[in-house]
Amino acid sequence: MNSLIKQTKKIFTERFGKEPEWITAAPGRVNLIGEHTDYNDGFVFPMAIERYTVIAAGKSSSAESTVFSVNQNAGKTVFIDGSAKPADTVTWSDYVQGTLQNCVENGAKLQPFNAVINSNVPLGGGLSSSASLEVATATLAEVIAGHRFDPVQKALLCQKAEHEYAKMPCGIMDQFISALGQKGCAMLLDCRSRVPKMVPLDDPSVAVLIVNSNVKHELTGSEYPDRRRQCEKAAKLLGVPFLRDAAMPQLESAKPVFDKEPDGGVCYRRAKHVITENDRTVFAAEALSGKDWKTAGRLMCESHISMRDDFEITVSEIDTLVDIACRLDGVFGSRMTGGGFGGCTVSLIESDKEAEITAAIGREYETRTGIKATIFATTAAQGAYSVS
Ligand code: ADP
Ligand code: MG
């Protein structure tokens, strides 16, 4: 982390001929369990990872403000006078512009600045580089303006920027964990009350292993809205506002109603995933806080099976990764993390077996699929901060 900050400072100094005055950082995240529960008003359980977006900035000598992304190798002028509007086509700087606009609208008085953005969260890799960029930007606005937002308000204004400027209808998880994450803790987040509960996860004997399958299947593009609609329909059939409000016995007794539907029981299976996943998420948080790694791991494996068979959002490469991990000594549990159809898996492992586990997964995944995975272990990292 220090080397990323150092490197970003150096790039700023080379570009602008002076040291940066402000440095901010915000992490990416991984969701330990609780998939597709957010829009059903349920629980998610993310933690911040040791991958950050860092921004180094200094006063501009003109009235213009600029941002340069090292990752995109591109720069852009941004507006800080509250005059910005969402663009028709989304580019990377819209995440920054949208966040700045919302900060200004919520009372941050900015002065012209130049900034260099540099991230080691993989872009588009399912570890939420977008939220880390937004939250690092909002944190920069706070230090430039000398105006502290309530962290929940900060997360929400970043989410709003992603909705309006990046046109991505995301839930609240990514921005909440990036803004409010605490070192050594995962966060059980109730998406209904929006109240986060920090759950200690700092035992040095366990680590979280993230494996990027390096596949992303572009299907028809309607998978996500389809799942949302199916969940809404299931809630309606059950007579509850959201699937969060239903329990398994209720779903079981309503099965004849679901069976009569023309979809052949699809909505029943979607509901089964969401209802059981919600319970698993709350239980997993309890298990982790009691250091019951075995139970937490078992719940992760059950979550994967539920996503594979009932919610149908996994792909063969991801199933292969989970299958490999679950057979290895020192792995408590493994599952796909994120929206689905590729992306990453997350595993809870014994930290002293990290090297063997990493090597074995990499080797066997390549043998079975011909694809090289990207693998790294992380502990629960600190949420957004500024370096003074
Ligand atoms: P994820 O959040 O899973 O990484 P998204 O598609 O939500 O994937 O967000 C990725 C997009 O966010 C990138 O395509 C880019 O537009 C923007 N972005 C994220 N990080 C940076 C960065 N460091 N510099 C410029 N743009 C970034
Ligand atoms: Mg994102």
Side-chain angles (χ1 to χ4, degrees), residues 32-329:
L32 294 169
I33 190 165
E35 227 62 75
H36 289 261
T37 43
D38 56 348
Y39 54 83
N40 290 295
D41 245 13
F43 291 89
V44 291
F45 192 36
M47 69 174 214
I49 58 173
E50 295 159 32
R51 296 291 181 105
Y52 284 82
T53 295
V54 169
I55 307 183
K59 284 190 197 84
S60 169
S61 53
S62 75
E64 196 177 66
S65 294
T66 67
V67 291
F68 176 82
S69 164
V70 175
N71 305 83
Q72 303 278 3
N73 191 26
K76 193 91 184 163
T77 299
V78 287
F79 302 100
I80 57 164
D81 59 356
S83 67
K85 296 255 180 322
D88 289 339
T89 47
V90 178
T91 52
W92 67 269
S93 58
D94 293 314
Y95 294 84
V96 179
Q97 180 65 81
T99 305
L100 291 172
Q101 178 69 17
N102 287 338
C103 289
V104 171
E105 286 178 8
N106 283 280
K109 288 191 177 56
L110 299 178
Q111 52 179 309
F113 68 88
N114 294 306
V116 168
I117 297 163
N118 193 11
S119 187
N120 62 10
V121 186
L123 273 59
L127 301 174
S128 208
S129 68
S130 58
S132 72
L133 175 58
E134 291 146 12
V135 175
T137 301
T139 308
L140 178 69
E142 289 183 305
V143 289
I144 293 179
H147 179 104
R148 281 292 286 272
F149 294 114
D150 169 78
V152 168
Q153 183 196 13
K154 179 165 144 183
L156 291 173
L157 70 81
C158 289
Q159 183 208 19
K160 188 163 174 272
E162 182 139 351
H163 285 183
E164 292 174 355
Y165 283 73
K167 306 196 196 313
M168 179 58 74
C170 56
I172 59 171
M173 168 168 71
D174 301 356
Q175 292 81 7
F176 262 68
I177 185 64
S178 187
L180 284 88
Q182 287 171 16
K183 192 172 168 55
C185 290
M187 176 194 273
L188 179 66
L189 180 59
D190 181 337
C191 296
R192 169 166 285 171
S193 67
R194 295 172 166 176
V195 174
K197 186 177 161 214
M198 303 318 292
V199 177
L201 180 55
D202 57 356
D203 189 311
S205 69
V206 293
V208 167
L209 194 75
I210 296 172
V211 182
N212 192 336
S213 66
N214 289 323
V215 295
K216 187 79 205 166
H217 290 264
E218 293 296 344
L219 302 168
T220 64
S222 70
E223 289 76 16
Y224 180 77
D226 282 351
R227 296 299 182 288
R228 282 191 82 138
R229 249 191 317 275
Q230 290 158 346
C231 290
E232 279 164 23
K233 185 171 164 198
K236 213 179 221 162
L237 289 173
L238 289 168
V240 292
F242 289 94
L243 286 178
R244 150 77 179 267
D245 303 299
M248 271 316 281
Q250 202 178 346
L251 181 66
E252 288 306 339
S253 52
K255 193 160 186 296
V257 179
F258 282 82
D259 285 342
K260 279 200 209 97
E261 289 295 312
D263 63 16
V266 169
C267 283
Y268 170 85
R269 283 187 284 118
R270 302 298 188 249
K272 184 175 163 220
H273 165 73
V274 173
I275 295 169
T276 56
E277 182 78 351
N278 236 347
D279 289 344
R280 277 189 293 270
T281 305
V282 174
F283 291 150
E286 267 171 32
L288 281 187
S289 73
K291 303 194 179 202
D292 182 353
W293 316 126
K294 273 202 176 131
T295 300
R298 180 175 52 75
L299 291 163
M300 290 170 79
C301 294
E302 288 174 9
S303 166
H304 186 81
I305 292 166
S306 179
M307 290 189 287
R308 188 190 66 197
D309 299 346
D310 290 330
F311 219 62
E312 297 179 284
I313 51 170
T314 70
V315 291
S316 69
E317 293 87 346
I318 286 280
D319 292 337
T320 300
L321 276 177
V322 169
D323 179 57
I324 295 166
C326 287
R327 290 164 193 265
L328 294 173
D329 186 34

Side-chain angles (χ1 to χ4, degrees), residues 211-215 317 321 343 361-375:
V211 182
N212 192 336
S213 66
N214 289 323
V215 295
E317 293 87 346
L321 276 177
I361 292 176
R363 196 173 49 236
E364 206 175 320
Y365 181 63
E366 194 172 354
T367 308
R368 285 171 61 173
T369 65
I371 305 164
K372 272 195 192 337
T374 317
I375 310 176

